[in-house]
């Protein structure tokens, strides 16, 4: 269930109240006339089951509330209410599976920003993966996958493509196109510094690495894992199952592939750098394809449900 607070300007306040009063997905409707001062208007608060939230938010935005007033949405962790139970029974589907498109667009939009923290996380993750490659330590590879922030822009890219939000697509592509090279450049510099300090050397890269050499040896399973990771990642976001996302992050080798390529470039091992680059491209493409297909299926499955009078 979601809790929504609306500032409804006077010209549309009556329409907003009527829209909400007639909708079967709404519970706990409250109206505070004239309570809002900036922007001015009535404060309308209500709870809505996730199964019906998208079309309610569509209706509010259709009245221009987001432009002239405000719409604030919060998740409700727990609610004990017969009214809420009735609203859930009236709407088709399960709330845990429902997709609230506005929430996903906002969430992924925030994740797609090319920020200092994004570049820092990307650089740190890539350096950790580089050390894992040289030491042949899977635990460091797993750690770098968790630290890596790349799934945010990838998810935003999927949402932007499906919802035709081209500004979101552009921001996501920029974040990825800048983030990975910056992480790799920092990693090359880190490898040179560690080599100068005598902590690592080229022989560590050339020695057999049975636990991590899969990173630069792409095969058909690389595509399969990336595709399944894209599906699971989008489901974890759209169904608000954040815990599942951690498993997704440690299943695909985007950051480790970039790190392996950076290490190989630092030591001039061309064949390993090219193999890692192919692995990275396969993982990025398969994640996006899996994510887009998942969203398309959800878009069909969660088309606007019919309005049911209370």
């Amino acid at each position: 269930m979601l809790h929504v607070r609306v500032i409804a300007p006077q010209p549309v306040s009556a329409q907003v109240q009527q829209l909400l009063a007639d909708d079967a997905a709404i519970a706990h409707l409250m109206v505070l006339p004239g309570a809002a001062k900036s922007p001015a208007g009535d404060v309308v608060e209500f709870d809505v089951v996730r199964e019906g939230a998208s079309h309610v938010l569509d209706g509010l935005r259709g009245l221009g509330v987001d432009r002239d007033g405000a719409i604030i949405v919060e998740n409700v962790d727990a609610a004990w209410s017969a009214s809420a139970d009735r609203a859930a029974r009236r709407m088709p589907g399960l709330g845990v599976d429902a997709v609230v498109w506005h929430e996903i667009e906002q969430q992924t939009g925030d994740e797609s920003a090319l920020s200092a923290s994004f570049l820092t996380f990307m650089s740190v993750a890539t350096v950790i993966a580089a050390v894992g490659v040289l030491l042949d330590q899977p635990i460091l590879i797993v750690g770098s996958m968790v630290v890596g922030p790349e799934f945010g822009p990838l998810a935003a890219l999927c949402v932007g493509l499906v919802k035709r939000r081209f500004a979101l697509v552009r921001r996501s592509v920029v974040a990825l196109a800048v983030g990975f090279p910056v992480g790799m450049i920092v990693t090359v510099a880190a490898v040179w510094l560690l080599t100068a300090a005598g902590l690592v050397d080229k022989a560590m890269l050339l020695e057999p690495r049975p636990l991590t050499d899969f990173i630069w040896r792409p095969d058909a399973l690389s595509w399969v894992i990336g595709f399944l990771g894209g599906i699971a990642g989008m489901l974890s976001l759209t169904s608000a199952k954040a815990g599942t996302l951690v498993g997704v992050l440690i299943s695909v080798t985007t950051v480790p592939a970039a790190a392996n390529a950076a290490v190989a470039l630092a030591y001039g091992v061309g064949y390993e750098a090219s193999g890692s680059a192919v692995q990275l491209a396969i993982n990025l493409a398969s994640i996006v394809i899996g994510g887009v297909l998942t969203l398309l299926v959800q878009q069909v499955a969660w088309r606007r449900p019919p309005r049911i009078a209370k």
Side-chain angles (χ1 to χ4, degrees):
M1 175 166 281
L2 301 175
H3 179 73
V4 183
R5 183 170 70 254
V6 173
I7 297 178
Q10 287 297 330
V12 297
S13 180
Q15 292 174 272
V16 168
Q17 294 176 46
Q18 189 64 50
L19 171 76
L20 299 174
D22 292 342
D23 200 292
I26 302 298
H28 319 137
L29 178 60
M30 297 167 284
V31 180
L32 303 174
K37 302 302 180 185
S38 180
D42 299 335
V43 174
V44 181
E45 297 193 41
F46 61 93
D47 296 319
V48 57
V49 293
R50 291 182 63 88
E51 304 94 304
S54 285
H55 76 262
V56 170
L57 295 174
D58 281 339
L60 292 173
R61 297 185 71 176
L63 292 173
V65 175
D66 58 326
R67 182 184 65 250
D68 302 320
I71 304 172
I72 299 92
V73 180
E74 301 173 319
N75 281 295
V76 176
D77 294 328
W80 292 270
S81 164
S83 176
D85 292 340
R86 285 194 298 270
R89 287 196 298 268
R90 285 193 292 257
M91 301 305 295
L94 297 174
V96 69
D97 295 327
V99 181
V100 183
W101 292 105
H102 305 80
E103 179 184 44
I104 298 304
E105 289 180 33
Q106 181 72 43
Q107 181 180 352
T108 56
D110 293 341
E111 295 286 341
S112 68
L114 181 61
S115 61
S117 60
F118 175 82
L119 294 176
T120 301
F121 274 119
M122 182 66 78
S123 300
V124 169
T126 311
V127 172
I128 291 173
V131 175
V133 164
L134 291 170
L135 296 179
D136 196 31
Q137 286 295 326
I139 189 64
L140 295 178
I141 300 299
V142 171
S144 72
M145 292 175 178
V146 175
V147 173
E150 78 282 4
F151 190 78
L154 286 170
L157 177 58
C158 295
V159 173
L161 290 172
V162 171
K163 302 299 289 184
R164 298 183 181 181
R165 303 290 191 264
F166 298 114
L168 183 57
V169 171
R170 183 169 57 253
R171 288 201 307 272
S172 304
V173 170
V174 169
L176 294 169
V178 174
F180 275 106
V182 167
M184 293 174 68
I185 290 170
V186 171
T187 301
V188 169
V191 169
W192 286 341
L193 288 174
L194 293 173
T195 303
L199 298 176
V200 298
D201 56 55
K202 183 176 180 179
M204 298 171 70
L205 181 69
L206 298 178
E207 290 175 354
R209 292 179 284 126
L211 300 180
T212 59
D213 67 353
F214 67 93
I215 294 172
W216 65 276
R217 296 181 186 274
D219 55 22
L221 288 177
S222 300
W223 177 272
V224 172
I225 296 301
F227 181 77
L228 294 176
I231 293 174
M234 291 314 306
L235 284 175
S236 71
L237 291 178
T238 57
S239 64
K241 289 184 176 294
T244 309
L245 187 56
V246 176
V248 175
L249 297 176
I250 62 176
S251 65
V252 290
T253 56
T254 46
V255 165
N260 204 115
V263 173
L265 288 172
Y267 287 135
V269 184
Y271 65 89
E272 194 160 326
S274 61
S276 302
V278 172
Q279 179 76 278
L280 176 61
I282 288 174
N283 276 274
L284 292 175
S286 58
I287 289 171
V288 170
I289 292 173
V292 166
L293 290 177
T294 300
L295 290 174
L296 289 173
V297 171
Q298 290 179 307
Q299 192 173 47
V300 173
W302 285 96
R303 288 193 184 279
R304 180 184 300 233
R307 285 182 176 272
I308 306 172
K310 289 187 177 182

